[in-house]
Amino acid sequence: MSAGSDPRGDAPPPLTPRTVACPACGGDSVYSLDNPHRPFCSARCRGIDFGQWASEEFRVPTEGPPDDEPFGDPRHQH
């Protein structure tokens, strides 16, 4: 008998794939290695999301200075 085997001979129940909401369309998306587009439900939704990032519709917030102020302390600029 190998280590970790079930002495009764029963196999563990198969795992059910986890389903999440697709970030693009909100539909069901299987979150597993079998879905090459995860967390998206399809290549189309993945492409839509990529396009929104590429066109800068999505942005990561920053705490930069306003456009009319120079970066940093002007006394330390050379």
Side-chain angles (χ1 to χ4, degrees), residues 62-72:
T62 63
E63 300 229 358
D67 291 338
D68 58 347
E69 291 183 22
F71 288 93

Side-chain angles (χ1 to χ4, degrees), residues 14-23 28-42 46:
L15 297 175
T16 57
R18 180 177 171 196
T19 303
V20 297
C22 174
D28 288 342
S29 176
V30 176
Y31 194 83
S32 76
L33 295 176
D34 294 333
N35 178 2
H37 312 293
R38 71 180 182 279
F40 302 100
C41 64
S42 65
R46 184 177 65 180

